[in-house]
Amino acid sequence: MKIPTAKKEFSFLDNKITLEFDSLTIKPVPNFDILSKALFEESNIDGFYYPAEIKRVELDLKNNKTIKDIPRTRRPASVFNLPASHSITLKNTDNNNDPAVSHEALFIHALAFLYGTRLQFKEWRFDGRVPIKPVNNWYIRDETSFDFLSHLYDFWLRLNNNKRKSVINLFYVQSLSRSLESQWNIFMHSYMLTDAVWRLRCELKGKPKGYIKHSDRIKFLCDEFGIKHNKKDINIITEIRNELFHESLWTGDMIGHGFADGIQQNAHLNLMKLNERLICSVIGYTNEFSRTPWVHFGTFDFDKLIKI
């Protein structure tokens, strides 16, 4: 799908942020306040926007009016659009014809990561639910967003096209996993993302000497990036991963037949939080946040890059 080149817009960041640096300009659409209020009123009390109900109708093609509803065709929409909240303008880029791996896509999905939501080009559709209110557990200042995006862009421009796609995909899958509902589905997407971080790290720095088993990779990454961890939490993730990927079981039960409890109860959330720190670290954005424990609840301060 080709996105119009004159002006690109994306949906829906419920933050009236304006960012400008180098050749980039991100600004809210003129009717942002009206759209934000309308979307809030149509969203669920849990902070998510859910697909609307759709139906098939018999249409009078001469005047484009509905003649009657077709019985038994009502269902939640499988995909849907949201209105644009911001426009993004980039000058002097080397964009190819694939918008999914474009410069604009990098910023759109990085903003989704920073502000705890899912974002897409206005012309593209969402599936499932979409966070309208942030679902991450940190506070970020606008100047820190500027610092993060500036660092990310400098880092990304030095990569070849395959690695650029890998970086964009980290942000995309992380924001997607935040929108899922089932524990096992969140965990599955999150572990795939952990694997993607591992692969990108190896492509950037070279493979470590000797074979590193899956059970040892999280510890290796945490040690290398200075992320706090303990053996017990890593073992819980490894055990759940092996059972899910090799036996199609979720913490001892058939998928959909039970919930993780006890020491496994928050493993899916902990892995998501670990990935947030791993993403910062693998792109070289080492800050105090990236080194914090990933099994703690509460709100963190997402601070600026620590320059060495």
Side-chain angles (χ1 to χ4, degrees):
M1 178 180 181
K2 192 171 182 180
I3 301 298
T5 56
K7 186 178 182 181
K8 296 180 176 67
E9 295 180 325
F10 60 89
S11 313
F12 186 93
L13 179 60
D14 197 21
N15 186 307
K16 208 172 180 178
I17 188 173
T18 297
L19 291 172
E20 293 187 41
F21 67 88
D22 297 334
S23 59
L24 170 73
T25 302
I26 296 173
K27 60 182 180 180
V29 295
N31 59 339
F32 175 89
D33 292 332
I34 296 173
L35 293 173
S36 176
K37 182 175 183 294
L39 206 57
F40 172 79
E41 291 173 349
E42 293 180 13
S43 64
N44 192 278
I45 195 172
D46 66 3
F48 288 86
Y49 182 91
Y50 288 84
E53 186 179 73
I54 59 173
K55 62 184 177 182
R56 294 170 61 187
V57 299
E58 186 176 327
L59 199 64
D60 184 341
L61 297 179
K62 292 182 179 179
N63 56 27
N64 201 34
K65 290 184 177 180
T66 299
I67 298 173
K68 65 177 182 179
D69 294 350
I70 299 177
R72 300 175 56 234
T73 60
R74 294 180 182 272
R75 51 157 292 177
S78 56
V79 292
F80 58 93
N81 294 97
L82 288 177
S85 60
H86 292 72
S87 63
I88 178 169
T89 305
L90 269 167
K91 300 177 183 177
N92 304 320
T93 65
D94 59 349
N95 273 351
N96 54 38
N97 290 325
D98 185 357
V101 292
S102 64
H103 297 241
E104 290 87 353
L106 173 71
F107 287 107
I108 288 170
H109 295 303
L111 282 169
F113 171 79
L114 292 175
Y115 289 97
T117 186
R118 282 175 75 191
L119 301 174
Q120 274 291 14
F121 290 106
K122 184 185 74 171
E123 294 86 354
W124 289 18
R125 297 176 182 180
F126 294 93
D127 61 336
R129 61 180 188 169
V130 177
I132 301 303
K133 296 302 177 184
V135 289
N136 53 9
N137 65 332
W138 66 65
Y139 172 78
I140 186 168
R141 299 166 183 82
D142 289 349
E143 58 266 28
T144 306
S145 298
F146 178 95
D147 187 65
F148 181 92
L149 294 174
S150 179
H151 169 90
L152 171 63
Y153 198 38
D154 288 341
F155 167 82
W156 191 78
L157 288 174
R158 297 193 297 269
L159 305 178
N160 61 35
N161 285 339
N162 285 335
K163 292 187 181 71
R164 287 183 179 185
K165 180 189 291 186
S166 296
V167 171
I168 293 174
N169 194 51
L170 296 182
F171 293 115
Y172 172 76
V173 176
Q174 178 66 11
S175 64
L176 172 62
S177 66
R178 290 167 171 165
S179 298
L180 301 172
E181 297 190 65
S182 302
Q183 290 180 340
W184 69 269
N185 207 6
I186 294 170
F187 186 95
M188 182 178 70
H189 280 78
S190 295
Y191 199 93
M192 289 191 297
L193 181 54
T194 307
D195 257 358
V197 171
W198 172 260
R199 180 183 176 91
L200 179 60
R201 179 261 170 230
C202 291
E203 290 176 347
L204 294 172
K205 296 187 175 185
K207 293 183 178 180
K209 292 182 179 179
Y211 177 72
I212 308 294
K213 299 183 296 183
H214 275 278
S215 57
D216 296 327
R217 290 179 182 179
I218 290 177
K219 181 181 185 305
F220 183 96
L221 291 170
C222 288
D223 286 339
E224 181 169 86
F225 294 141
I227 302 171
K228 291 184 175 65
H229 63 282
N230 66 62
K231 186 177 180 180
K232 181 191 74 174
D233 295 317
I234 294 175
N235 286 344
I236 290 171
I237 288 174
T238 301
E239 290 167 6
I240 292 175
R241 178 258 179 199
N242 290 340
E243 199 173 43
L244 180 63
F245 283 40
H246 298 304
E247 301 178 57
S248 296
L249 293 175
W250 176 244
T251 62
D253 286 318
M254 290 187 292
I255 290 174
H257 282 236
F259 295 93
D261 55 16
I263 60 174
Q264 297 178 325
Q265 182 176 2
N266 296 314
H268 61 300
L269 301 177
N270 291 338
L271 188 53
M272 262 201 305
K273 289 184 286 185
L274 170 61
N275 284 336
E276 292 168 347
R277 289 150 177 81
L278 289 176
I279 289 172
C280 291
S281 299
V282 78
I283 67 168
Y285 199 84
T286 303
N287 55 2
E288 291 296 336
F289 166 80
S290 69
R291 297 172 173 175
T292 55
W294 38 276
V295 295
H296 291 185
F297 288 89
T299 303
F300 292 85
D301 177 34
F302 193 100
D303 53 315
K304 288 185 179 181
L305 173 71
I306 299 174
K307 297 181 180 179
I308 301 174

